[in-house]
Amino acid sequence: GAFTSAIVVKESKSSLFQLRAEPFTSCEEWTISTEDSIKSFIRSAVVDNIQDYCECGFLDSFITNESLFCDIQNPTQAVYRAQVFNFGSISSTQIVSWIEDWVLNGASVTSGPILVTFDPTCPVPLNSIN
């Protein structure tokens, strides 16, 4: 009746994801500006990839809460974590699965003479940002 149809389990409006990429400047030398450049570079690569999948005019403002982590054992690797929101009728979980496909299929992006690669062994979907 009316009561059962009113209770709809709403899918989350956002999803978390992470990417491990290299090579970058050794994280021992990162400044705020280096971190911002790396975040911007990775975000731009992700947005281009989402565009390739959906051809939907996806906007980078739908990716937020970015953070960058560094592993001192591998100082030229950066782990990028962020939150992506539903975009129109496209769910955030769908967007994360596109990012995951891209990474599993050997994602790479050039930055001048440098080929930045994304690590397919690093799981893309995340349950929490920490």
Side-chain angles (χ1 to χ4, degrees):
F3 287 110
T4 52
S5 61
I7 302 166
V8 177
V9 177
K10 193 96 173 76
E11 189 182 339
S12 169
K13 290 185 172 65
S14 71
S15 299
L16 301 170
F17 69 96
Q18 68 179 355
L19 299 164
R20 185 186 300 142
E22 65 179 336
F24 292 106
T25 309
S26 169
C27 63
E28 293 151 320
E29 298 164 27
W30 286 358
T31 61
I32 300 292
S33 125
T34 317
E35 288 195 27
D36 286 347
S37 306
I38 293 172
K39 284 180 195 171
S40 175
F41 176 81
I42 294 176
R43 182 185 341 106
S44 161
V46 168
V47 168
D48 287 350
N49 160 64
I50 294 167
Q51 283 285 25
D52 288 346
Y53 275 89
C54 74
E55 298 176 358
C56 59
F58 185 82
L59 302 170
D60 74 354
S61 57
F62 281 72
I63 296 176
T64 62
N65 291 331
E66 298 171 298
S67 52
L68 210 55
F69 298 90
C70 156
D71 175 359
I72 293 299
Q73 305 304 314
N74 297 296
T76 60
Q77 285 186 349
V79 175
Y80 170 90
R81 291 182 178 165
Q83 182 174 19
V84 63
F85 284 85
N86 295 349
F87 186 74
S89 61
I90 304 164
S91 74
S92 60
T93 48
Q94 176 62 68
I95 293 168
V96 170
S97 81
W98 287 335
I99 299 168
E100 190 173 27
D101 279 353
W102 175 60
V103 170
L104 292 173
N105 287 306
S108 64
V109 183
T110 52
S111 175
I114 297 163
L115 182 69
V116 175
T117 58
F118 293 84
D119 181 355
T121 67
C122 178
V124 172
L126 265 186
N127 294 324
S128 78
I129 208 89
N130 304 337

